[in-house]
Amino acid sequence: MSKSLELTPVETVACCSPLMSEPISTDQADRIAPLLKALADPVRLRLLSLVGAHADGEACVCDLNDAFELSQPTISHHLKVLHEVGLLDRDKRGVWVYYRVNATALADLAGLLGRGVR
Amino acid sequence: MSKSLELTPVETVACCSPLMSEPISTDQADRIAPLLKALADPVRLRLLSLVGAHADGEACVCDLNDAFELSQPTISHHLKVLHEVGLLDRDKRGVWVYYRVNATALADLAGLLGRGVR
DNA sequence: CCAAGACATTGACGAAAGTCGATGTGTTGA
DNA sequence: TCAACACATCGACTTTCGTCAATGTCTTGG
């Protein structure tokens, strides 16, 4: 395997990551951390993935409740956390509430850790 | 602005994110969450950024201590958290300990949230 | 061999997070 | 109008987390 020409994904990310290019400020860290904290839970990770992978890109809370062995208030709590940091958009239609992944927010986060594509 | 031809970074990430392509398993979520949890703290974010942006890609603990108004044990604790999840490599040389960002681990995480480039 | 320095570990404490049962708030169908 | 349903909020509890002071471990210079 050639080592000089190819740029592995690892190196691509490392070299272009805003985190690595220069030290982030305290303010930046304080703004980014809550987003990561919202993601840093197994249940919320699965919730985000379930919503994002769902047909039409949105999922009803009733569907999500059934995917976990957790109480309904707990799922509601996790959805609220993801919604408050802007990772999930909510849309109430009739009796049901539909959640949708905010692609912009997720992209911002991914771009921050990985390549700094603009 | 054209809407049909250009694929914005947002859409690129959204469409290719492993998180969005299909629901992740409970096991996957349980493995990923600790990594994100390690990152989900303002101090640790700054530590990672400081190390990554430092000359030669590595930084001595003594340098890091001076960058925060926190006790030495607290910094040591945060470094340990980042090290235990594999985001920071440690290298003791003489009396000093140098930390270095594990680019592979960070790239894996970024690739998981963002585009699934291989 | 010993004192000083760099960093880690321990123990303790207040703050924050995850979970649940009970209850509240809208909406719909009868 | 009212009962049933979908979802949110509240209050309480346990666990985890961030922080520090005190102490331990290892290395080096004298």
Side-chain angles (χ1 to χ4, degrees):
Chain A
M1 8 184 128
S2 76
K3 231 178 173 182
S4 51
L5 274 183
E6 293 224 18
L7 204 58
T8 69
V10 170
E11 288 161 348
T12 305
V13 167
C15 82
C16 301
S17 166
L19 272 183
M20 303 298 120
S21 58
E22 66 172 329
I24 62 175
S25 68
T26 304
D27 287 347
Q28 283 178 301
D30 288 340
R31 285 201 316 272
I32 299 166
L35 273 174
L36 290 168
K37 191 164 292 189
L39 267 183
D41 180 274
V43 175
R44 289 198 288 268
L45 268 178
R46 288 182 59 202
L47 278 172
L48 197 84
S49 183
L50 276 170
V51 171
H54 203 270
D56 300 331
E58 65 181 11
C60 175
V61 176
C62 52
D63 298 329
L64 302 173
N65 276 325
D66 297 343
F68 298 86
E69 292 186 352
L70 292 170
S71 69
Q72 176 264 322
T74 295
I75 298 299
S76 187
H77 162 70
H78 286 303
L79 289 171
K80 183 181 183 180
V81 171
L82 288 169
H83 174 63
E84 281 177 342
V85 299
L87 284 171
L88 282 186
D89 293 329
R90 105 193 309 159
D91 178 25
K92 176 162 186 174
R93 295 203 293 272
V95 183
W96 294 277
V97 173
Y98 293 87
Y99 282 91
R100 176 180 295 271
V101 174
N102 184 334
T104 304
L106 192 62
D108 288 349
L109 207 55
L112 189 132
L113 297 184
R115 50 69 199 273
V117 161
R118 282 232 150 262
Chain B
M1 9 182 129
S2 78
K3 230 178 172 180
S4 51
L5 273 183
E6 293 223 17
L7 204 59
T8 69
V10 169
E11 289 161 348
T12 306
V13 167
C15 81
C16 302
S17 167
L19 273 182
M20 303 298 120
S21 58
E22 64 172 330
I24 62 175
S25 68
T26 305
D27 287 347
Q28 283 178 302
D30 287 340
R31 284 200 317 272
I32 299 165
L35 274 174
L36 289 167
K37 191 164 291 189
L39 269 182
D41 180 274
V43 175
R44 290 197 288 268
L45 267 178
R46 289 182 59 202
L47 278 172
L48 197 84
S49 183
L50 276 170
V51 172
H54 204 269
D56 301 330
E58 65 181 12
C60 174
V61 177
C62 53
D63 298 330
L64 301 173
N65 276 325
D66 298 344
F68 298 85
E69 292 186 353
L70 292 169
S71 70
Q72 175 263 321
T74 297
I75 299 299
S76 187
H77 161 70
H78 286 304
L79 289 171
K80 183 181 183 180
V81 171
L82 288 168
H83 173 63
E84 281 177 342
V85 299
L87 284 172
L88 282 187
D89 293 328
R90 107 193 308 160
D91 178 27
K92 177 162 184 173
R93 295 203 294 271
V95 183
W96 295 278
V97 173
Y98 294 86
Y99 282 91
R100 176 180 294 272
V101 173
N102 184 334
T104 303
L106 192 62
D108 288 349
L109 207 54
L112 189 132
L113 297 184
R115 52 51 197 285
V117 160
R118 281 235 149 262

